[in-house]
Amino acid sequence: GEFRALENRNALVFTGVYFRKAATSGLNVEHGGRVEFYLKMGPIASDNAVCKASFEDVILEYNVADQWVEFGNYPAWKFRSDSFQFVSEDIPVEGWTNSTRFRFRQPSFDPLRDHWAIDDVRIFSRYRPDWDESEEYRKRRENQNSIVKLAQCCYNSDQCTIFDKVNTNFDEKKCNALPGFDKNERNLRLKSSELFIFFSFLSAI
């Protein structure tokens, strides 16, 4: 959902004496992409503060062929704050595979301090360059358009004319398959195109 730094209570927090890292499973980014997230490192505060001050850096890595490669470094002096800061990193070309892993890690730290947290991590993968020319895309687009047209006709909207109903072999029974369809909400009026045909018919007789 939408990130709200001041209201956030579900961040992934790193503290304690063990390894401080978090990794993803393999993701398909063979056509490139980027990693976006919010980062917060413990600010300098009193010894009684729950979030202990951070003095050690955090890094972002990708993994290809069981090799971790750093492509983002976040120094404590820059990200040490009372609030989260937004970060966006383009994935290096060398990391473009169909099963790339990503990892956040703090290589060294004092077990009693150096707290940090990440939230709203998003990894975007680009489509292949000719994605909108593929046969699969064409079929999905036609299928989606037919569903949209069915909904327009089921609700008797202005976007569905009587000619659309004829050309698509409109069957009102199919309306019940639309999620949330309520026949009581459909327009019961005649649209301009239908009125034209209606009056043309009257003139003919």
Side-chain angles (χ1 to χ4, degrees):
E2 183 179 355
F3 177 81
R4 297 183 176 88
L6 298 179
E7 302 176 12
N8 177 59
R9 295 292 182 274
N10 299 310
L12 182 58
V13 180
F14 297 84
T15 65
V17 299
Y18 298 106
F19 297 113
R20 297 184 182 180
K21 60 184 179 181
T24 71
S25 57
L27 302 173
N28 188 341
V29 291
E30 61 182 331
H31 302 293
R34 68 181 183 274
V35 179
E36 293 185 354
F37 59 97
Y38 286 84
L39 173 64
K40 176 182 179 181
M41 303 183 76
I44 297 177
S46 67
D47 293 337
N48 295 326
V50 175
C51 183
K52 304 300 182 182
S54 188
F55 297 90
E56 299 292 343
D57 300 349
V58 171
I59 63 175
L60 174 61
E61 305 166 297
Y62 70 83
N63 182 294
V64 174
D66 293 327
Q67 295 293 322
W68 288 104
V69 180
E70 179 182 327
F71 71 106
N73 185 288
Y74 314 104
W77 65 264
K78 184 175 181 180
F79 289 88
R80 196 163 48 213
S81 173
D82 289 319
S83 59
F84 283 84
Q85 298 184 53
F86 176 72
V87 180
S88 179
E89 298 283 1
D90 287 331
I91 302 170
V93 175
E94 295 78 9
W96 295 9
T97 77
N98 62 1
S99 185
T100 303
R101 297 178 65 201
F102 298 91
R103 180 171 71 177
F104 296 88
R105 184 167 66 95
Q106 190 175 42
S108 61
F109 54 87
D110 184 324
L112 300 180
R113 65 183 190 194
D114 294 318
H115 294 182
W116 57 286
I118 54 176
D119 194 20
D120 203 26
V121 177
R122 302 185 184 193
I123 300 175
F124 296 90
S125 176
R126 297 191 185 99
Y127 292 115
R128 68 183 186 220
D130 59 344
W131 65 272
D132 57 346
E133 300 175 5
S134 67
E135 181 66 17
E136 179 183 6
Y137 170 75
R138 186 189 64 78
K139 290 181 179 179
R140 291 190 177 189
R141 181 182 60 186
E142 290 178 354
N143 181 62
Q144 187 64 36
N145 288 341
S146 66
I147 294 175
V148 171
K149 183 56 66 177
L150 174 63
Q152 291 171 341
C153 292
C154 286
Y155 283 102
N156 201 32
S157 74
D158 289 329
Q159 284 71 38
C160 176
T161 67
I162 191 170
F163 301 106
D164 290 325
K165 291 183 177 180
V166 172
N167 292 334
T168 60
N169 296 316
F170 176 68
D171 182 356
E172 191 170 339
K173 295 180 181 178
K174 294 181 180 179
C175 297
N176 295 324
L178 292 173
F181 175 72
D182 184 353
K183 64 180 181 180
N184 295 321
E185 294 182 3
R186 66 181 302 178
N187 295 323
L188 299 179
R189 55 187 170 78
L190 287 175
K191 298 187 289 294
S192 58
S193 60
E194 296 169 330
L195 286 172
F196 175 79
I197 293 174
F198 177 70
F199 285 120
S200 296
F201 173 76
L202 289 180
S203 300
I205 60 176

